[in-house]
Amino acid sequence: MNRILCLEMRGISKSFVDVKANRDINLTISSGEILGLLGENGAGKTTLMNILYGLYRPDDGEILVNGEVVKLRNPKDSMRVGIGMIHQHFMLVEKHTVLENIALGYDEAPFFFPQRTLRKRIWELSAQYGLDVDPDKPIWELSAGEQQRVEIIKALSRKADLLIMDEPTSVLTPQETEELFDILRKMSSGGHSVILISHKLEEILNICNRVMVLRKGLLTGEARIEEVDKGKLAVMMIGRQIAAAYPKADINPGDVVLEVTGLDVDSDRGLPAVRHLSLQVHRHEILGIAGVSGNGQQELVETITGLRQPLSGSILMKGVPLDHADARKAHTLGITHVPEERIKYGIVPNLLLYENSVLKRHRDAPFSSWIQMNYGAIKDHAGKLVDSFQVDTPSINVRVKNLSGGNIQKLILGREISGGPELLVAAHPTYGLDVGATEYIRKQIIELRDSGGAVLLISEDLDELFMVCDRIAVMFEGRFMGQVTPESCTVEEIGLMMTGSTIQEE
Amino acid sequence: MQIDLLPRERSTATLNLLILLGSLLAGLLAISVVFALNGVNPALAIFSIFKGSFGSWYGIKETITKAIPLILIGSGLALAYKAKFWNIGAESQLLVGAIFSTWVGLNWGPHLPAIVLVPLMFLAAFIGGALWGMVPAVLKIRFGINEVISTLMLNYIAAEFVKFLVVGPWKGASKGGYPYTDDLPAAAILNQFPYSRISPVLLILAVTGALILGWLVYRSRFGYEIRVIGENTYAAKYSGINFFRTLVVLMAISGGMAGLAGAGELMSIHHYLSYPDSLSAGYGFTAIIVAWLARLNPAYTIVSGLFFAGIVVGGDAIQISMGMPAATVDIFNGMILVFLIMGDFFISHRVRIRLGRTVDA
Ligand SMILES: Nc1ncnc2c1ncn2[C@@H]1O[C@H](COP(=O)(O)OP(=O)(O)OP(=O)(O)O)[C@@H](O)[C@H]1O
Ligand SMILES: [Mg+2]
């Protein structure tokens, strides 16, 4: 097989039961290019890429490689012509080592001593592209960034010339994102091409040569990167500019809602994750927690929301102790939770949208009485959520797994914000949301604060924290390195604290 | 030739039904091979089975008689399987139910009128089956013991215990050395429709039971929590569902339904406790397939229960008329289960077969 010099998708259309996900789309990419694919949630980006990867078959249209029509019936066909795809949710076997994962489906290994050949190949690829991983570590020990590198090596070892990456940076730290982009640049100068889906406009501007914008399944815009800036991209995507700042009502924080004192929590691996940590969140206040992920934020969130047992310390919610892992109790005390791993925890993929719209609230009036579910009220509620949070779905009677990634997130956010919680604990609430939806969610979070709610916002996106929070705590290795207000501090200072250096508190 | 497996993007009710019928048909074809290898004309054999069960009044009445325990047990199993709790122990839950109601019947029966005694015996059976069913649920949640293993093992324990009772302490004085308990008092015996072995009380119990469990799964709060547990345990944890309470109650109901079936067999058909295999004829296992054919909707077990009862009755008929071995029915049922489970794969996937060579990239 020759290398892909030029790949063309012509007139691609694809419909699902009630949705036209792609309509007559043309896409061209040539060797060495990095193409950005932009579009609102549910615009059809993932669908289009799944077609290119052979997971879905188009209803109409054809795909040409170097001018010849190819039929891509399954991922194997696509790999054979040199197309590799890295999904947002990694497809690695957790208990196996890096080497074993790469070996899966690696056809060229000789029958004898396959490890030796493969190890050499991995080593070559790592050296060539700066893909640093230890081949003998099991996957579950790796960070998200490392796992992604394994996926890239896996694709490259199968001779992928075109690499599709679906929202690769949403799980990465800013540092890891930079490393990824270095790798992509090296690949592109080596003649590989990349299609990158992202909702982060800076990233698209930073790395791509060209962008394409999808809207409601149609290709609505295309530009060379020199011709656009952030504002223009937003207009191309949602037809208007986005807010640069979010006004907040001028209210002082009220009573303490959540009080955490001297909390110690272990991680799943039995290592200390949260170390003697204390914090307070008040009514009318958004407390942001900044930090590189993996510094105990997840364990902290899980403990506060009743999913994890602390070793010691106390959690008081409105004065009531929350000392056992008890998600039900946390819920009745008015804590809602937007989980970080949303597909895993936040929804039941095989249940219908309206059934998912009351998950965790299913015991509350009016959604059920002591024995019976009240599906009438539930459907009303689901309809309202879909409307006010602009969840793009053909109806409330679809399985949630058929929604696009961003729309699943909108549904979860709507569910957790709409009940008017006393305390909203939100981990990376705008991951995977398009710029319009991001803006809307930030406004909703601020409105919740203005109307008396308390918010604990975990994010790695410092811009987001600066725009939304009243106070920011920086977490490093399970401790707070300091608490600051956005007005009294710069992004750079916080960046420093995230790597472990303390600064004087104001 | 090339075969492609693709995830199925859309699935409709009609499609699901077609796949179900297709699996049944494929199962019948596979069984035909078995018949043919035994030198029996498969078409004739299968025709005889259904003629034996649905082709005469006698057959239909027998089919309904056997459908009753299958519906009772199958609907309870469907409930458990909805939560992905693989209860393989209905056979022993049935037996323990029978033990409990026998005890009530023999000890309290002589002093009570039927109107009090019959409900009491059913209640005792439900409690017995429920307790026996709760054991594996507790073992699973507290000690992480796989329920397939524990429910299977409990089957042996209960069966041996029944044998011990009927040859030992409960052996009937009036039974002339046979391993039976004494007959239950007359007040404990259920009436039957004339010229049949169908008890109206049991029939109503089975049908309403299946409908109530269907309501429970799809309309009640308990059912909602069961389905969340079955589909995504992480989400169940996230939403604060109490695993212990939910699974224990679930297995109490599932086991209790099997217990009711045990009491029903006892009070309508046998009238005394005897060896386990004469009491149950493997209903606890056949009901697994009944639940599966009902696509785990307890209400549908009313239909699938009748179907499998038909196979049991028809199977008995051809054993006699065509000289087939007694295991025929088991092979029949096993084949159908295998094909039903394989059919599930085609609900989520589709297969494309293209003949001839295609030009590859
Ligand atoms: N398997 C499916 N069955 C039914 N509808 C689907 C399926 N997959 C996608 N859709 C629908 O197709 C549309 C496009 O979805 P797609 O996942 O391609 O969006 P996207 O552009 O990737 O959005 P996001 O940014 O939120 O990830 C959505 O409306 C979605 O509901
Ligand atoms: Mg997507």
Side-chain angles (χ1 to χ4, degrees):
Chain A
M1 184 67 218
N2 295 324
R3 300 204 60 176
I4 300 181
L5 299 174
C6 170
L7 181 138
E8 204 181 336
M9 297 178 89
R10 263 193 211 160
I12 301 286
S13 297
K14 171 80 196 171
S15 304
F16 296 107
V17 187
D18 306 294
V19 191
K20 288 203 173 90
N22 290 152
R23 288 188 263 180
D24 195 24
I25 293 184
N26 297 309
L27 176 152
T28 322
I29 181 167
S30 33
S31 146
E33 257 194 314
I34 302 183
L35 172 68
L37 197 54
L38 274 175
E40 290 171 285
N41 295 126
K45 305 176 294 292
T46 300
T47 306
L48 187 66
M49 291 303 107
N50 280 341
I51 290 174
L52 193 51
Y53 192 53
L55 281 172
Y56 291 153
R57 344 195 77 229
D59 303 334
D60 222 338
E62 53 190 13
I63 297 170
L64 294 87
V65 171
N66 301 339
E68 275 178 54
V69 176
V70 292
K71 288 257 183 270
L72 306 175
R73 284 176 294 264
N74 50 43
K76 245 191 201 146
D77 283 357
S78 298
M79 275 181 235
R80 209 173 300 137
V81 300
I83 299 170
M85 179 158 176
I86 297 173
H87 290 87
Q88 189 177 343
H89 305 276
F90 302 130
M91 313 245 176
L92 298 171
V93 187
E94 295 255 311
K95 284 189 182 148
H96 286 201
T97 64
V98 171
L99 186 80
E100 287 164 342
N101 266 282
I102 295 172
L104 277 175
Y106 183 73
D107 295 337
E108 281 170 35
F111 189 75
F112 292 107
F113 306 114
Q115 290 222 349
R116 200 189 295 163
T117 326
L118 199 56
R119 213 177 274 278
K120 189 162 152 265
R121 187 89 188 100
I122 293 175
W123 190 82
E124 283 168 9
L125 287 169
S126 325
Q128 195 175 349
Y129 299 106
L131 289 157
D132 206 9
V133 286
D134 175 357
D136 296 311
K137 264 199 182 170
I139 296 297
W140 62 268
E141 281 187 14
L142 304 184
S143 72
E146 288 172 310
Q147 292 192 27
Q148 194 167 57
R149 271 176 261 161
V150 177
E151 290 272 23
I152 297 177
I153 295 180
K154 198 170 166 184
L156 289 177
S157 70
R158 294 172 190 178
K159 303 224 166 62
D161 288 324
L162 168 68
L163 195 63
I164 305 167
M165 303 197 82
D166 193 350
E167 300 189 30
T169 59
S170 54
V171 289
L172 300 187
T173 65
Q175 175 66 27
E176 286 174 324
T177 303
E178 264 319 304
E179 289 165 13
L180 171 67
F181 286 176
D182 282 341
I183 295 164
L184 294 187
R185 284 195 196 97
K186 279 193 193 128
M187 285 174 55
S188 110
S189 56
H192 291 274
S193 33
V194 179
I195 301 181
L196 180 79
I197 301 181
S198 174
H199 291 293
K200 298 185 187 163
L201 303 181
E202 309 83 39
E203 292 178 3
I204 298 273
L205 290 168
N206 174 344
I207 179 122
C208 297
N209 311 116
R210 205 153 53 83
V211 286
M212 286 181 45
V213 179
L214 297 188
R215 201 164 173 194
K216 298 197 169 28
L218 285 165
L219 180 63
T220 54
E222 208 172 345
R224 302 215 49 80
I225 211 71
E226 305 83 58
E227 302 161 6
V228 289
D229 55 27
K230 235 173 126 172
K232 277 198 188 129
L233 283 180
V235 174
M236 282 168 82
M237 263 177 76
I238 58 172
R240 63 179 170 85
Q241 291 280 358
I242 40 169
Y246 297 89
K248 273 185 270 188
D250 196 5
I251 314 171
N252 285 330
D255 307 335
V256 176
V257 174
L258 176 76
E259 179 160 26
V260 174
T261 330
L263 193 69
D264 284 292
V265 187
D266 271 358
S267 72
D268 284 339
R269 281 188 246 163
L271 303 172
V274 177
R275 304 170 194 221
H276 223 69
L277 186 129
S278 303
L279 66 84
Q280 289 188 337
V281 196
H282 303 81
R283 272 168 67 82
H284 295 298
E285 184 183 47
I286 303 176
L287 172 63
I289 296 189
V292 176
S293 79
N295 276 289
Q297 297 97 320
Q298 195 183 343
E299 286 81 3
L300 175 65
V301 165
E302 286 177 356
T303 315
I304 293 174
T305 53
L307 291 173
R308 188 181 282 274
Q309 183 73 40
L311 294 178
S312 61
S314 84
I315 300 174
L316 291 180
M317 176 67 195
K318 293 188 297 176
V320 183
L322 199 72
D323 37 15
H324 305 291
D326 186 347
R328 185 93 252 135
K329 185 167 176 196
H331 171 75
T332 40
L333 288 172
I335 302 177
T336 64
H337 176 199
V338 177
E340 177 172 355
E341 294 178 77
R342 55 199 188 216
I343 309 270
K344 189 170 167 190
Y345 286 95
I347 54 159
V348 186
N350 273 325
L351 293 192
L352 304 178
L353 190 154
Y354 69 84
E355 291 173 313
N356 271 286
S357 75
V358 290
L359 189 66
K360 199 164 60 153
R361 289 172 72 182
H362 64 276
R363 281 176 168 261
D364 304 347
F367 305 131
S368 70
S369 51
W370 73 275
I371 179 160
Q372 191 173 9
M373 295 296 280
N374 182 354
Y375 281 109
I378 292 174
K379 285 181 182 173
D380 283 349
H381 168 72
K384 277 186 213 140
L385 277 190
V386 165
D387 284 346
S388 52
F389 285 79
Q390 288 122 38
V391 181
D392 188 4
T393 174
S395 81
I396 58 168
N397 297 312
V398 296
R399 285 172 193 236
V400 160
K401 68 171 175 197
N402 287 347
L403 296 186
S404 82
N407 283 303
I408 290 176
Q409 177 75 346
K410 285 193 227 170
L411 179 72
I412 296 174
L413 281 158
R415 186 181 71 205
E416 302 302 310
I417 294 178
S418 66
E422 305 267 351
L423 173 72
L424 167 68
V425 181
H428 313 288
T430 57
Y431 267 9
L433 293 187
D434 65 46
V435 285
T438 300
E439 186 188 84
Y440 181 75
I441 292 302
R442 288 179 184 162
K443 282 184 181 154
Q444 291 297 311
I445 290 177
I446 289 173
E447 200 180 299
L448 177 67
R449 162 220 185 252
D450 288 350
S451 64
V455 180
L456 191 63
L457 179 69
I458 289 81
S459 181
E460 278 177 43
D461 181 345
L462 294 184
D463 294 328
E464 172 162 284
L465 291 171
F466 268 76
M467 280 190 267
V468 175
C469 297
D470 296 298
R471 215 151 42 88
I472 302 173
V474 184
M475 197 161 174
F476 178 73
E477 294 189 342
R479 294 194 184 87
F480 283 161
M481 304 309 291
Q483 298 198 20
V484 295
T485 56
E487 299 80 37
S488 69
C489 188
T490 63
V491 172
E492 286 70 36
E493 284 172 310
I494 295 215
L496 267 178
M497 284 157 73
M498 280 166 63
T499 58
S501 41
T502 34
I503 58 161
Q504 250 56 51
E505 277 196 45
E506 72 292 17
Chain B
M1 193 182 86
Q2 181 165 356
I3 301 175
D4 294 330
L5 283 179
L6 296 163
R8 193 180 286 282
E9 292 151 23
R10 55 192 81 179
S11 73
T12 59
T14 343
L15 180 86
N16 288 353
L17 189 67
L18 283 178
I19 289 174
L20 193 75
L21 294 177
S23 322
L24 282 179
L25 201 67
L28 287 179
L29 281 176
I31 293 155
S32 302
V33 173
V34 177
F35 281 135
L37 290 175
N38 270 290
V40 176
N41 177 349
L44 182 65
I46 291 172
F47 174 76
S48 309
I49 287 180
F50 288 103
K51 185 162 167 277
S53 51
F54 297 102
S56 67
W57 271 118
Y58 170 77
I60 291 175
K61 284 185 291 194
E62 270 307 283
T63 300
I64 295 176
T65 308
K66 303 218 157 150
I68 287 171
L70 289 178
I71 293 169
L72 283 168
I73 305 170
S75 57
L77 289 181
L79 184 77
Y81 296 167
K82 258 307 199 229
K84 298 217 163 73
F85 194 98
W86 305 118
N87 176 14
I88 316 289
E91 188 75 5
S92 62
Q93 291 142 19
L94 178 154
L95 291 178
V96 175
I99 294 175
F100 272 53
S101 69
T102 304
W103 188 89
V104 170
L106 290 178
N107 288 285
W108 300 349
H111 324 293
L112 291 172
I115 189 88
V116 182
L117 181 63
V118 168
L120 264 184
M121 285 176 72
F122 276 124
L123 184 68
F126 190 92
I127 292 174
L131 289 174
W132 202 247
M134 280 150 69
V135 173
V138 174
L139 289 178
K140 175 167 185 165
I141 300 164
R142 285 283 177 263
F143 307 106
I145 294 172
N146 183 308
E147 75 273 16
V148 175
I149 310 287
S150 60
T151 50
L152 210 54
M153 291 302 148
L154 286 171
N155 282 342
Y156 294 106
I157 296 176
E160 294 306 318
F161 187 62
V162 171
K163 285 183 201 162
F164 161 75
L165 286 178
V166 295
V167 297
W170 286 15
K171 188 168 168 178
S174 62
K175 290 294 178 183
Y178 283 104
Y180 306 146
T181 62
D182 282 326
D183 277 338
L184 292 170
I189 307 302
L190 297 174
N191 290 328
Q192 294 171 334
F193 284 120
Y195 308 109
S196 81
R197 301 201 295 158
I198 306 168
S199 145
V201 172
L202 274 183
L203 188 62
I204 293 169
L205 194 66
V207 171
T208 47
L211 292 177
I212 289 174
L213 291 199
W215 176 89
L216 203 63
V217 168
Y218 292 102
R219 287 277 162 261
S220 77
R221 180 147 102 187
F222 179 67
Y224 179 89
E225 297 196 335
I226 286 177
R227 286 183 293 140
V228 172
I229 289 180
E231 292 289 349
N232 182 354
T233 45
Y234 294 103
K237 203 176 159 216
Y238 164 83
S239 49
I241 291 174
N242 186 332
F243 278 67
F244 187 79
R245 197 178 57 202
T246 312
L247 288 183
V248 167
V249 172
L250 173 86
M251 277 307 290
I253 298 175
S254 187
M257 292 299 286
L260 289 182
E265 289 305 289
L266 191 72
M267 293 153 71
S268 170
I269 314 280
H270 299 281
H271 304 179
Y272 51 79
L273 192 65
S274 60
Y275 256 48
D277 14 349
S278 59
L279 190 69
S280 150
Y283 290 132
F285 297 109
T286 308
I288 296 172
I289 321 171
V290 170
W292 215 270
L293 182 63
R295 305 221 54 88
L296 304 189
N297 182 335
Y300 292 169
T301 58
I302 299 172
V303 180
S304 62
L306 274 171
F307 180 82
F308 276 102
I311 291 177
V312 172
V313 171
D316 287 347
I318 66 162
Q319 259 177 52
I320 300 160
S321 65
M322 306 180 90
M324 297 291 288
T328 311
V329 174
D330 295 337
I331 293 177
F332 202 116
N333 290 346
M335 285 281 188
I336 295 218
L337 179 62
V338 168
F339 279 88
L340 281 176
I341 291 174
M342 288 204 285
D344 282 356
F345 177 78
F346 295 101
I347 288 177
S348 52
H349 290 77
R350 76 204 156 98
V351 181
R352 241 167 220 272
I353 300 176
R354 45 188 76 232
L355 298 171
R357 290 195 57 79
T358 44
V359 191
D360 259 308

